[in-house]
Amino acid sequence: MSVLLLLISALVLIYLGIGGTTAAGVLVLATIIGLFQDGWHLLSILFGGGLLALSLALLFPGEFRKNRLSAPLLGWVRGRLPHLSATEEEALRSGSVDWDGELFSGQPQWSALLYARPAHLSSEEQAFLDGPVEKLCGMLDDWKITHEGYDLPAKVWQFIRENGFFGLMIPNNQGGKGFSHTAHSEVVMKISTRSVSAAVTVMVPNSLGPGELLMEYGTDEQKQYYLPRLAGGEEIPCFALTSPVAGSDAGAIPDKGIVCRGQWNGEEVLGLKVTWNKRYITLAPVATLIGLAIKVYDPDRLLGDSDDIGVTCVMVPKDVEGVHAGARHLPMNTVFMNGPTWGNDVFIPMDQVIGGQDMLGKGWKMLLECLSIGRSISLPALGTGAGKAASLATGSYTLTREQFGRSISQFEGVQEALEPIAGYTYMMDAARLLTAGMLDRGVRPSVPSALLKYRNTDLMRNVINHSMDVVAGRGVITGPRNFLARVYQAVPIGITVEGANILTRSLMVFGQGAIRCHPFIVEEIKAAGMEDKEAAVEKFDGIFYRHIVHTTRNALRSFVLALTGGLLEPVPRDGNIQPYYRQLARFSAAFALMTDVTLLSVGGGLKARQRLSGRMADCLVHLYYATAVIKQWHEEGYPDNQRPLVDWCLQTSLRDLKVTMRELIINFPVPVLRWPLRILVFPLGATGLNGPDDKLGALVANSIVEDTPLRQRISRGCYINSDPDDSLGRVLNAYRLANETQEMRDRLHEAMRNRDEDELGGIDLLMGHQRKELVDWACEQGVVKKEECDKLLEALEALYDVIRVDAFDADGLKALSRCAKGKRKVVERPPREED
């Protein structure tokens, strides 16, 4: 009994998070009670007393624990912990941890989510969205941009410059707008619902160009000179990171700068002789200021004792001799400026190093800090914009499109496709706003930025594919009427750029997050890497036992919360969603447990276990997006009309969590651990949490079909165009008229079903010139009132117009061919002499 009571007491204390002298007192008391129950038997004294002594030794630091336990354990742990390269160590030091750390903890503090300052727009930012952004969207014709001009019109470029679109994030005192990250996201999102090419043109200078690096690291002189010029569009920036041979491995870039002396503006100065060859660089063909990531070497030791200085960020003016750019890539029928840039032994002074000479070799940290911001905003905003536009257009189309005498929105098969369009769009928007709010609070969310980029672009693909399924033939015919074709073609761009999704999912999200967000792993890695053995043991001794308690607590929480349905977990009552909170707490504990087991059992082999790390990343994604939905609903005051969407999102996330974690355990690379993990995570089996049922799915599908405030909420931030000559405006105009004439069209349908067989022959409701004849007949028969006839005819004309597709005669195709005709040449490498 002494052993049993001691173990039970220890587990309860660990579960409740109680330590110190209180825990010691409880353990001593439990042991004494056990000894008394055992009649002070010798075996009870030996085993119970010995276990108590060991427990107290572990509970309180001392020489015994340090020398007899911690020192040998440190040697074992050194072989289990992942080994970090210099770039990985730099990545761990960059960015910051916020809500992602709570999810990794296994015991998230919901107040940290609900009461954190949310994403918010100032009145000035809202006015910019309602004014210049709205006007810019009205100037864009995506068909003409992508098929006739192969560029934004000159007046659009001018408007973007004059209205400060390139300086959204640059402070007011430097000529910019000084907007929040939320505003940046909203601007990019709204423009993207009109034109991906225009959205990319605006987003890059504000997130991936040298401007962000200059604001954070630039010298005063660099800021005073460049920031006003960038904000006003006098300088067009690009940032060149990707090299042909390095691909996604930015740490392996071959581009270099050699420290030397050279001529600049007629004077001999210290600088760099730079050689680079980059591709896929957005705005490179028109950029006047080229940002570069290069590796700097000092073979002549002009700066010090080392000849390998490291990754450095520099700026090269385009008009410097030896700079090559101007040729263009054409990414998937979008025509934002994108192309290669290269130079060979181009001399620049040290003044062109971002941050000056003191920032030589610090470029990797600079990039990680700023790229995390760009990944948090740009592509997630594009993905959300695509979802909002698809929800608006596809929901409208299904209402107006009729088959078998009724709207296709009533068909269950169509509703099954509309359901994820609406639900995933709501999810994307919630996650986008959660992360933008973090940025506005000063957080640099390295892990959320990666998972948001990966998941939002993946959901964008999912949503657009479902939209194409619904719109069917209407969506696959190219032409100015098509409202899905361009974004459908652009989907692979988001999947591929700013870290390809395969890499981001399988290596970055969990690989970086497991270490960056873990409360103890980083310090343990530091201890394992210390050369001073005594100092290493000292540091390790202060961390490791807390880590063991942390892991044990999460194992207990995972098991107990799974057994009880989370009933023992205190959760917020607002919104009446306690069961969701409890399940999310349960899976957070299971995820934290799986993280520790993975790191300790797989350790340094994690990089090669990309299926494992990918599934762990998916678990984190589902936790993050579910909690983002809760946060968004909380900020909007828990409106009842959003409840079906919230239920759908949370049920979908929990189902996906269950399925992913089950697959994770079944395929865990250490077979002996599979059954223990299955018992701890799924003690009752992987049952329940089956996702939304058909009734809820139908409600969610109808949320983008019915003309309600909820439909407006889902599409909030989307550019609305009701021009019947516009691709989207044509659908929205027909949608409006369909709603306005629903009652009279129902009467017309009923009259046609009841007519004599010979009457009106085979007239169809929407067929050609017969629409006028049909309306005239309806008026004569009194089916519709005389004053309704014009409105009914207008509606029938619009309903027919919305299903029409484009057709090109021979001359039209020749005209398109002339627009597309151009010379193609290989420009992915610097030209050789023989060229």
Side-chain angles (χ1 to χ4, degrees):
M1 286 297 296
S2 61
V3 174
L4 181 61
L5 287 177
L6 178 63
L7 288 175
I8 292 173
S9 299
L11 292 175
V12 171
L13 289 168
I14 290 172
Y15 186 92
L16 297 175
I18 298 173
T21 55
T22 301
V26 170
L27 293 176
V28 170
L29 180 60
T31 305
I32 291 173
I33 293 173
L35 291 171
F36 177 77
Q37 291 289 326
D38 290 335
W40 305 96
H41 193 281
L42 179 61
L43 288 177
S44 181
I45 294 173
L46 289 175
F47 285 103
L51 189 58
L52 175 64
L54 179 62
S55 300
L56 295 176
L58 292 175
L59 194 59
F60 296 105
E63 291 302 314
F64 173 80
R65 190 179 84 173
K66 188 191 306 182
N67 297 326
R68 298 292 183 180
L69 298 176
S70 298
L73 280 171
L74 177 59
W76 177 80
V77 167
R78 274 197 176 105
R80 308 307 305 166
L81 289 174
H83 298 285
L84 303 178
S85 65
T87 54
E88 288 171 326
E89 289 181 356
E90 198 71 63
L92 291 178
R93 288 193 292 269
S94 69
S96 45
V97 177
D98 194 76
W99 180 243
D100 48 324
E102 291 290 335
L103 295 176
F104 267 99
S105 74
Q107 193 170 4
Q109 301 300 306
W110 300 112
S111 59
L113 172 72
L114 299 179
Y115 302 113
R117 183 162 59 88
H120 174 72
L121 290 176
S122 68
S123 57
E124 181 185 359
E125 291 166 345
Q126 188 62 58
F128 187 78
L129 281 162
D130 296 338
V133 177
E134 185 80 6
K135 187 172 181 180
L136 173 61
C137 289
M139 298 169 68
L140 301 171
D141 184 326
D142 209 40
W143 170 261
K144 290 182 178 179
I145 290 170
T146 57
H147 287 82
E148 297 177 12
Y150 287 90
D151 189 8
L152 301 180
K155 65 178 182 179
V156 171
W157 277 103
Q158 187 64 22
F159 185 86
I160 289 172
R161 285 189 174 99
E162 291 177 352
N163 287 273
F165 281 87
F166 288 152
L168 298 178
M169 307 303 296
I170 294 174
N172 299 98
N173 59 8
Q174 297 288 354
K177 297 291 184 185
F179 282 173
S180 65
H181 296 286
T182 300
H184 178 195
S185 178
E186 292 285 339
V187 169
V188 171
M189 183 182 72
K190 186 167 187 174
I191 298 172
S192 73
T193 65
R194 188 66 173 157
S195 167
V196 171
S197 298
V200 173
T201 300
V202 168
M203 82 186 188
V204 166
N206 289 289
S207 60
L208 301 175
E212 184 79 27
L213 292 168
L214 284 169
M215 285 189 291
E216 188 73 22
Y217 302 105
T219 65
D220 290 340
E221 292 79 9
Q222 289 172 343
K223 292 177 182 178
Q224 290 169 10
Y225 179 76
Y226 280 116
L227 291 182
R229 295 171 63 83
L230 290 168
E234 295 175 65
E235 298 275 9
I236 302 296
C238 71
F239 196 88
L241 179 61
T242 305
S243 299
V245 296
S248 296
D249 185 4
I253 53 176
D255 313 283
K256 62 183 179 180
I258 305 299
V259 178
C260 63
R261 303 192 70 85
Q263 292 293 317
W264 186 262
N265 293 335
E267 297 182 16
E268 184 180 278
V269 296
L270 186 67
L272 300 171
K273 191 177 289 185
V274 183
T275 298
W276 74 95
N277 180 24
K278 308 279 191 177
R279 66 178 178 183
Y280 308 151
I281 311 305
T282 300
L283 294 186
V286 295
T288 61
L289 184 66
I290 303 170
L292 293 174
I294 59 173
K295 287 184 176 178
V296 172
Y297 302 93
D298 184 13
D300 296 329
R301 306 291 176 91
L302 297 176
L303 299 178
D305 296 332
S306 175
D307 59 359
D308 187 352
I309 294 177
V311 177
T312 300
C313 297
V314 302
M315 300 174 291
V316 181
K318 187 178 181 179
D319 57 7
V320 175
E321 184 179 355
V323 176
H324 297 274
R328 291 177 60 185
H329 305 310
L330 291 176
M332 297 301 292
N333 200 37
T334 57
V335 296
F336 59 86
M337 289 292 168
N338 185 279
T341 175
W342 70 90
N344 187 39
D345 289 342
V346 175
F347 181 80
I348 57 172
M350 286 295 176
D351 290 344
Q352 296 302 119
V353 174
I354 297 178
Q357 185 171 320
D358 291 342
M359 296 303 290
L360 285 169
K362 299 178 182 178
W364 187 235
K365 181 179 186 298
M366 294 163 61
L367 287 172
L368 289 168
E369 291 276 2
C370 292
L371 285 176
S372 71
I373 297 173
R375 274 203 302 262
S376 298
I377 295 174
S378 53
L379 291 173
L382 258 66
T384 308
K388 287 177 178 285
S391 297
L392 190 66
T394 311
S396 300
Y397 181 81
T398 58
L399 181 82
T400 62
R401 183 74 169 105
E402 295 185 346
Q403 293 277 274
F404 310 110
R406 59 181 179 144
S407 165
I408 65 171
S409 64
Q410 299 173 26
F411 297 170
E412 289 192 358
V414 172
Q415 290 175 355
E416 197 172 6
L418 292 175
E419 180 184 336
I421 295 173
Y424 285 147
T425 297
Y426 190 83
M427 271 193 195
M428 285 191 282
D429 201 28
R432 176 186 69 89
L433 290 170
L434 172 63
T435 314
M438 288 183 192
L439 288 165
D440 287 339
R441 296 196 306 271
V443 177
R444 293 294 179 262
S446 55
V447 175
S449 72
L451 72 84
L452 190 68
K453 183 271 170 184
Y454 152 57
R455 184 60 170 169
N456 263 29
T457 55
D458 190 57
L459 290 181
M460 171 178 67
R461 171 168 55 186
N462 191 303
V463 164
I464 297 301
N465 282 341
H466 280 301
S467 295
M468 291 294 287
D469 287 347
V470 171
V471 177
R474 175 68 173 79
V476 299
I477 303 301
T478 295
R481 288 175 170 269
N482 196 315
F483 52 84
L484 282 177
R486 257 72 68 204
V487 68
Y488 179 79
Q489 289 175 307
V491 164
I493 300 172
I495 299 294
T496 303
V497 302
E498 289 187 34
N501 277 8
I502 290 177
L503 168 77
T504 303
R505 172 182 179 265
S506 60
L507 289 178
M508 292 182 62
V509 174
F510 179 71
Q512 184 178 351
I515 299 173
R516 185 71 182 86
C517 298
H518 198 285
F520 305 110
I521 287 289
V522 171
E523 294 304 311
E524 287 172 344
I525 290 175
K526 288 180 181 177
M530 294 175 68
E531 295 184 3
D532 187 328
K533 184 177 180 181
E534 186 174 340
V537 172
E538 182 77 31
K539 186 175 182 66
F540 180 77
D541 182 73
I543 301 166
F544 183 72
Y545 301 99
R546 286 186 291 152
H547 186 170
I548 293 299
V549 170
H550 168 81
T551 304
T552 307
R553 181 186 300 129
N554 282 320
L556 290 170
R557 281 175 53 78
S558 175
F559 180 75
V560 171
L561 293 178
L563 277 179
T564 64
L567 291 175
L568 298 181
E569 183 74 1
V571 296
R573 302 183 64 84
D574 294 341
N576 193 27
I577 53 173
Q578 295 94 321
Y580 296 129
Y581 276 119
R582 291 175 182 134
Q583 289 294 340
L584 289 169
R586 164 205 172 181
F587 279 111
S588 175
F591 176 71
L593 169 66
M594 294 296 300
T595 297
D596 277 328
V597 172
T598 298
L599 290 174
L600 290 175
S601 63
V602 179
L606 182 60
K607 290 180 186 177
R609 300 285 187 176
Q610 294 176 19
R611 291 178 186 265
L612 169 65
S613 60
R615 289 188 176 108
M616 289 294 290
D618 287 342
C619 289
L620 180 61
V621 161
H622 300 318
L623 285 167
Y624 190 85
Y625 275 66
T627 53
V629 167
I630 292 174
K631 170 68 171 174
Q632 187 57 33
W633 199 38
H634 170 78
E635 294 304 331
E636 297 194 14
Y638 303 105
D640 288 337
N641 69 332
Q642 292 183 26
R643 180 67 192 241
L645 272 169
V646 171
D647 283 337
W648 188 93
C649 292
L650 296 178
Q651 290 178 26
T652 299
S653 295
L654 287 171
R655 178 200 63 204
D656 294 344
L657 261 170
K658 179 195 74 172
V659 171
T660 304
M661 198 155 286
R662 179 176 177 274
E663 292 175 351
L664 185 63
I665 293 171
I666 289 173
N667 294 282
F668 198 75
V670 184
V672 71
L673 295 176
R674 291 174 186 170
W675 271 107
L677 288 173
R678 186 175 297 182
I679 292 170
L680 289 172
V681 177
F682 296 113
L684 301 177
T687 58
L689 303 177
N690 296 319
D693 60 21
D694 291 347
K695 183 178 179 181
L696 179 58
L699 289 174
V700 171
N702 285 334
S703 68
I704 57 174
V705 175
E706 297 175 353
D707 191 13
T708 64
L710 181 56
R711 172 181 150 96
Q712 296 169 16
R713 165 61 186 84
I714 294 171
S715 60
R716 186 179 67 192
C718 186
Y719 176 69
I720 307 296
N721 184 356
S722 56
D723 180 358
D725 292 328
D726 177 78
S727 59
L728 176 59
R730 177 176 290 106
V731 183
L732 297 183
N733 180 58
Y735 178 81
R736 175 184 61 83
L737 290 169
N739 280 305
E740 292 175 358
T741 62
Q742 184 64 60
E743 191 270 336
M744 64 182 79
R745 287 187 299 111
D746 287 344
R747 280 185 270 135
L748 181 57
H749 275 296
E750 182 65 24
M752 291 181 68
R753 280 193 292 269
N754 295 329
R755 74 186 188 277
D756 293 336
E757 291 187 10
D758 295 333
E759 194 175 12
L760 282 180
I763 288 182
D764 185 272
L765 189 74
L766 297 180
M767 281 299 293
H769 65 280
Q770 296 173 332
R771 289 185 298 277
K772 177 68 167 62
E773 183 181 345
L774 180 61
V775 172
D776 289 344
W777 172 82
C779 287
E780 291 172 4
Q781 299 297 316
V783 176
V784 294
K785 300 174 184 177
K786 196 167 186 177
E787 59 270 22
E788 294 175 326
C789 292
D790 289 344
K791 188 75 170 181
L792 178 59
L793 180 59
E794 182 186 7
L796 295 183
E797 295 283 0
L799 292 175
Y800 176 69
D801 188 51
V802 85
I803 65 173
R804 293 176 58 202
V805 296
D806 296 288
F808 299 89
D809 58 19
D811 290 339
L813 291 175
K814 287 178 181 178
L816 284 178
S817 177
R818 286 194 296 272
C819 290
K821 187 173 292 185
K823 293 183 178 180
R824 182 183 66 85
K825 59 181 180 179
V826 176
V827 289
E828 293 184 349
R829 58 172 172 77
R832 303 187 187 94
E833 291 183 6
E834 58 266 29
D835 292 335

